Amino acid sequence: MKTSLLKAALAAAVFSAATPAFAELIYVTGEQVPGTGLGAVSTVVTVQDNDTPNGNGTESGCVTYAGNVNNPTFTCTFGLQGGDNTSGNAGSNLYLLSNLDGLESAGQLGFVVNISEGSSGGVPNSAELTDLYLSLYNLDTNTTQYHQYLGPNLVLSDSGGIGQSGTHFFVLDDAQAAAAAAFCDGDLSRCVLGGGIQFLLQTTEATPETVYVGAFDRPPVDMPEPLSLALLGAGLAGMGVVRRRGKPAGR
């Protein structure tokens, strides 16, 4: 994985004005990074539902640890519908944190979401994200820790093509970074990463959307207000653990 490029993209990110201060996964927009297509990055989930006769219009998929890192299940939590994972190892995977390039602490974890919906008149088409979560399973304690995006629905578009870096980053706030690091207790080989994503009913219509994991540098200070975050540029913010009410399918 081209970790240095991804870190540079995030370092240049500009926080959205709609970034909620209470989110566990903070949404950041960053730079498109070339050369990171499907199979060249640590892809967690790839989903496709084109609202065809074989689809139900809600694009949703997850990967979950169930005893074998190399054989994930596709059962979702938090009310996500699931069922739209694409086939093949390039699409949906679990990872031991120790196998993620450049990761030194679970607190550095972040997701990059790539939207691949084609374009109209040269303008990228969009998809509306409703749900996103990152899961950590501790092999020693047999427990799972979750980190969710808790903000409003996001209408996202991308121009990079299938599996490219995306311009949509979701990183841990300071409180959740500390919680993730403590949960894995300094032993990255004992923590398994998974996750899930869902889009609003009938807002996806073209090629697959992808979610992949990266290691991101964190700032040395905690700036919890959106205005301060914008001034900091690549700062992270947040409050403590907030459990999200489950959304009905298609929300």
Side-chain angles (χ1 to χ4, degrees), residues 69-93:
V69 175
N70 297 316
N71 188 25
T73 65
F74 305 126
T75 303
C76 297
T77 189
F78 300 116
L80 274 68
Q81 176 179 281
D84 294 321
N85 294 67
T86 61
S87 61
N89 290 336
S92 300
N93 304 277

Side-chain angles (χ1 to χ4, degrees), residues 42-207:
S42 298
T43 306
V44 179
V45 184
T46 303
V47 290
Q48 183 170 11
D49 186 322
N50 296 341
D51 196 24
T52 66
N54 295 323
N56 57 23
T58 300
E59 188 171 274
S60 177
C62 313
V63 287
T64 303
Y65 178 78
N68 188 333
V69 175
N70 297 316
N71 188 25
T73 65
F74 305 126
T75 303
C76 297
T77 189
F78 300 116
L80 274 68
Q81 176 179 281
D84 294 321
N85 294 67
T86 61
S87 61
N89 290 336
S92 300
N93 304 277
L94 297 169
Y95 295 94
L96 287 173
L97 297 193
S98 55
N99 291 337
L100 293 176
D101 185 32
L103 189 72
E104 298 177 357
S105 166
Q108 295 174 291
L109 289 167
F111 276 162
V112 184
V113 175
N114 169 242
I115 306 299
S116 185
E117 287 296 309
S119 63
S120 299
V123 177
N125 294 327
S126 63
E128 186 169 340
L129 184 143
T130 61
D131 299 86
L132 179 71
Y133 70 84
L134 180 156
S135 65
L136 292 172
Y137 185 88
N138 189 304
L139 296 171
D140 290 330
T141 62
N142 295 319
T143 56
T144 305
Q145 183 182 88
Y146 294 95
H147 301 273
Q148 298 172 266
Y149 170 70
L150 300 173
N153 291 1
L154 294 171
V155 177
L156 307 177
S157 62
D158 234 326
S159 59
I162 299 175
Q164 292 300 306
S165 73
T167 59
H168 309 295
F169 296 77
F170 293 81
V171 295
L172 297 173
D173 64 37
D174 280 354
Q176 299 312 305
F183 181 75
C184 293
D185 197 27
D187 187 354
L188 299 182
S189 68
R190 305 305 296 163
C191 265
V192 180
L193 178 136
I197 193 167
Q198 183 162 296
F199 295 89
L200 187 66
L201 179 70
Q202 295 180 342
T203 65
T204 58
E205 59 185 35
T207 44

Side-chain angles (χ1 to χ4, degrees), residues 25-51:
L25 286 175
I26 300 295
Y27 171 57
V28 189
T29 57
E31 295 180 357
Q32 186 76 246
V33 179
T36 57
L38 195 62
V41 292
S42 298
T43 306
V44 179
V45 184
T46 303
V47 290
Q48 183 170 11
D49 186 322
N50 296 341
D51 196 24

Side-chain angles (χ1 to χ4, degrees), residues 206-247:
T207 44
E209 274 64 61
T210 57
V211 179
Y212 68 88
V213 62
F216 302 109
D217 286 332
R218 299 188 54 74
V221 294
D222 184 7
M223 304 288 285
E225 296 298 328
L227 178 59
S228 298
L229 291 171
L231 293 174
L232 186 61
L236 299 175
M239 295 171 62
V241 176
V242 180
R243 291 193 63 82
R244 182 185 192 182
R245 292 182 301 171
K247 293 185 179 182

